[in-house]
Amino acid sequence: MTLDERIDDMLGRYGEVCTKAQASKIMGCSYYKIRAMLEDWRLKTACAGSMVDVRRMAEYICAPSTVEEIARKERLRKKLNTTWVV
């Protein structure tokens, strides 16, 4: 299944966003794993952090290594932009 087909399928089933509990069932992992994936940018939040973006979940399912690389770069960018107050 291609990424576009996966996104269309998942959007049809779950909508644009889902809860963290629903995401854990969809991804086949624990609620805490979903929280960890949100914290380290592998998945994206929506609705002020209360929901999970279904498109990003589809991207992760189809190409986890690509999403991991994007998340790694985002973490590095955030780390470099952090200012330290002494």
Side-chain angles (χ1 to χ4, degrees), residues 66-80:
T66 302
V67 174
E68 295 280 349
E69 180 66 18
I70 292 167
R72 186 188 66 74
K73 287 178 181 177
E74 182 65 21
R75 287 190 304 269
L76 181 61
R77 187 183 69 77
K78 293 278 186 186
K79 187 176 183 179
L80 293 175

Side-chain angles (χ1 to χ4, degrees), residues 4-65:
D4 290 335
E5 292 171 340
R6 171 81 62 188
I7 289 172
D8 289 341
D9 178 57
M10 289 182 69
L11 290 177
R13 290 180 189 211
Y14 311 111
E16 291 284 332
V17 296
C18 65
T19 65
K20 293 171 189 163
Q22 289 171 324
S24 69
K25 290 178 183 175
I26 294 166
M27 301 284 286
C29 59
S30 72
Y31 175 85
Y32 300 103
K33 177 72 173 179
I34 295 297
R35 282 183 40 193
M37 292 173 82
L38 289 166
E39 289 173 7
D40 68 10
W41 303 90
R42 287 180 282 171
L43 295 179
K44 289 184 179 180
T45 60
C47 303
S50 63
M51 304 292 271
V52 181
D53 180 17
V54 172
R55 289 178 191 271
R56 184 60 170 249
M57 288 172 45
E59 291 172 4
Y60 188 84
I61 290 169
C62 283
S65 60

